[in-house]
Amino acid sequence: MLLNLFKKLLGHTYSLLAVAIFLLIWEFIPKLGLADTTFLPPFSKVAAALWKLTVTGVLFKHLIISLQRAVLGFGLGLLISIPLGLLIGWFKGVERFVDPLLQTFRQTSALALFPVFILLFGIGEVSKVAIIFWSVQWPILLNTISGVKSVEPLLIKSARSMGASSFTLLLKVIVPGAFPSIFTGIRLSATYSILILIAAEMIGSNAGLGFLLYESEIKFEIPEMYAAIVTMSLLGLAVNYLLVAVGGRLTRWKEEIPNT
Amino acid sequence: MLSQKRRNLNIVTGDSEISSKIVVENISHQYHIKKSKAEKKKEFTALKEVSLKVKKGEFIAIVGPSGCGKSTLLDILAGLINAKCGKIFIDGKLAHGPALDRGIVMQGYALFPWRTIRKNVEFGLEIKGIPKKERAELSRSFIELVGLKGFEERYPHELSGGMKQRIAIARALAYDPDVLLMDEPFAAVDAQTREVLQDELLRIWEKTNKTIVFVTHSIDEAVFLADRVAVMTSNPGTIKEIIKIKLPRPRRNADMRQSADFNWIRHKVWQSLQNTVTTINEERESGLTYKDLAEEISPSVVL
């Protein structure tokens, strides 16, 4: 029992070792004079700045604003892309019609379109939410379409043989069958949404984590700038872990691939 | 004397006018296939003027070489394919489209992997609109009937092939169809499991009194299970002969396989299939030998 606990602890320690080594290198390279401390402050200084930003509530304020935008854009993406993807995936004619358009749009960088969004929606919240929506919807849409198409035909046949109506078929066979693929899209786009958001906030904004980063750089508060970067990484990490946990619960029925 | 007795066991072309559960009337069906992209679409006749009557409570097996259209016939019976010509009557009523009066069990199990065993069995009941409490009772009893009590909350991937097929049978039985259509249901399980499942199926059939149409490519299986065996020829798919199996019931694999009568009837069915194969051979002038084709029809044929 105690041995098991120890082993588990050791396991966790091992998987965090790489991070620890990285932080140590970060700490000592500037301290040993291998890098300019002005441009690359040691990690302890960054940590102190992060702490200061946290206790003064500055970080929290920016974080909340960023999260609000991300959740709005992301939610909108889910709400529109999943039903649209189901539709496109299910009706072969629709897919053939819209596919070239989708492929073109997908290749258009969201950041390239940001000026267009600003022109259309102004510099306020709407343009930021719009750009997040735009960038998250592609992974969700495309994964939903491929998910629908990959539903085992035998299952559809089986459900139809039991007299399932089209609506029942969609609800009880297509959606659950496509779910693992849809969820992959959701995970991808969650990461995207944060990346794009930061960039958008750096280009034109007066609040949010991206703005904090931008502002710190201009004011030459280098440790604060790094602190903002670390916060973003942690945020991305948290979102990803959350989604993995949720996805794991929802796809419990899937056969686990043994670790080798 | 012995040969006389054997002759008596013969092999009358099945004909049933009284209380037909299923009437297949002059079914023909064509597929349009393209062998390569450049080629024009070719018409392939899967079934040609197939007629068949199945009595209520009867167990009929359909055997034939691969590609003889037996699965197509079953899909038409299930209402999943609309035949180009001909009609299907269930209880004297013209059938179109799938309905819960016919349950289908397929070779690939077709269990929903995201549903537990219990929820899989309840699928047809949900469509039928049966309340939750009743559904739970029904699923429990049918899972017990197929001998998988205690597996209710497991997921399909946790079960072996034979167990999955039992669940597929339980699911088809749960919504209480009069007719069970089975498309090579035991083709994917190992030989031992197969015999166990055959015994189980007969036990369930005797208990529930369903009308069963069972498609297989194994002569042994067809003869062992069925009241009548319909032998199909391919290209175009037609029913060549219907052979009555006058073996005593209840049948169990353990004793039936030893019986001389069983082996003799099996040989008759085999001969019937051989003839169909020969005629095709002559038509095609293909290089296939008898033996190859016999193996294609049934890997378990040993004479």
Side-chain angles (χ1 to χ4, degrees), chain A residues 35-103:
Chain A
D36 196 333
T37 43
T38 346
F39 301 129
L40 184 67
F43 177 69
S44 52
K45 265 197 160 173
V46 174
L50 187 62
W51 177 249
K52 210 183 96 201
L53 283 171
T54 312
V55 291
T56 51
V58 178
L59 190 72
F60 191 67
K61 187 188 90 188
H62 290 297
L63 185 67
I64 287 295
I65 289 169
S66 287
L67 275 179
Q68 240 169 31
R69 290 168 180 157
V71 168
L72 257 167
F74 186 63
L76 211 62
L78 288 182
L79 226 59
I80 292 172
S81 306
I82 293 176
L84 197 65
L86 292 173
L87 192 83
I88 296 170
W90 190 230
F91 296 103
K92 290 208 167 60
V94 180
E95 203 219 340
R96 267 188 47 216
F97 178 68
V98 295
D99 192 58
L101 190 68
L102 289 186
Q103 294 303 336

Side-chain angles (χ1 to χ4, degrees), chain A residues 157 160-163, chain B residues 22 71-82 88 90 95-106 179 181-182:
Chain A
K157 187 176 165 183
R160 277 189 48 219
S161 81
M162 288 184 257
Chain B
I22 308 169
S71 291
T72 308
L73 179 60
L74 205 79
D75 280 353
I76 291 172
L77 279 171
L80 293 167
I81 301 177
N82 284 324
I88 303 277
I90 308 279
H96 40 107
L100 287 165
D101 60 354
R102 282 153 283 156
I104 190 163
V105 178
M106 289 175 266
V179 178
L181 305 168
M182 307 185 86

Side-chain angles (χ1 to χ4, degrees), chain A residues 103-129:
Chain A
Q103 294 303 336
T104 318
F105 272 154
R106 182 167 88 114
Q107 302 303 337
T108 314
S109 160
L111 287 172
L113 283 171
F114 194 49
V116 179
F117 283 120
I118 291 179
L119 286 175
L120 289 177
F121 302 118
I123 201 162
E125 291 303 298
V126 184
S127 58
K128 267 147 227 125
V129 173

Side-chain angles (χ1 to χ4, degrees), chain A residues 151 154-165 168 172-174 176-178 252-256, chain B residues 75 79-80 98-100 102 104 106 108-115 123-124 126-127 155 157 171 175:
Chain A
V151 174
L154 205 59
L155 296 179
I156 297 171
K157 187 176 165 183
S158 166
R160 277 189 48 219
S161 81
M162 288 184 257
S165 64
T168 312
K172 294 195 169 172
V173 181
I174 305 298
R252 240 180 336 161
W253 52 270
K254 277 195 103 178
E255 193 164 358
E256 268 171 48
Chain B
D75 280 353
L80 293 167
L100 287 165
R102 282 153 283 156
I104 190 163
M106 289 175 266
Y109 322 126
L111 298 177
F112 302 110
W114 54 86
R115 286 177 162 242
F123 191 85
E126 285 173 26
I127 291 173
Y155 285 94
H157 78 261
R171 178 176 64 180
Y175 53 86

Side-chain angles (χ1 to χ4, degrees), chain B residues 184-241:
Chain B
E184 303 197 28
F186 306 147
V189 295
D190 62 87
Q192 281 91 343
T193 312
R194 196 173 211 210
E195 292 192 1
V196 174
L197 287 173
Q198 288 167 354
D199 282 343
E200 290 266 299
L201 180 64
L202 283 185
R203 186 179 57 80
I204 290 166
W205 173 64
E206 283 152 17
K207 230 178 184 173
T208 55
N209 206 24
K210 304 278 176 205
T211 308
I212 299 183
V213 180
F214 192 103
V215 163
T216 178
H217 59 253
S218 159
I219 299 169
D220 281 44
E221 189 166 66
V223 172
F224 172 68
L225 292 170
D227 294 325
R228 287 189 297 152
V229 173
V231 177
M232 283 189 77
T233 57
S234 59
N235 203 11
T238 42
I239 293 180
K240 182 203 173 196
E241 189 178 3

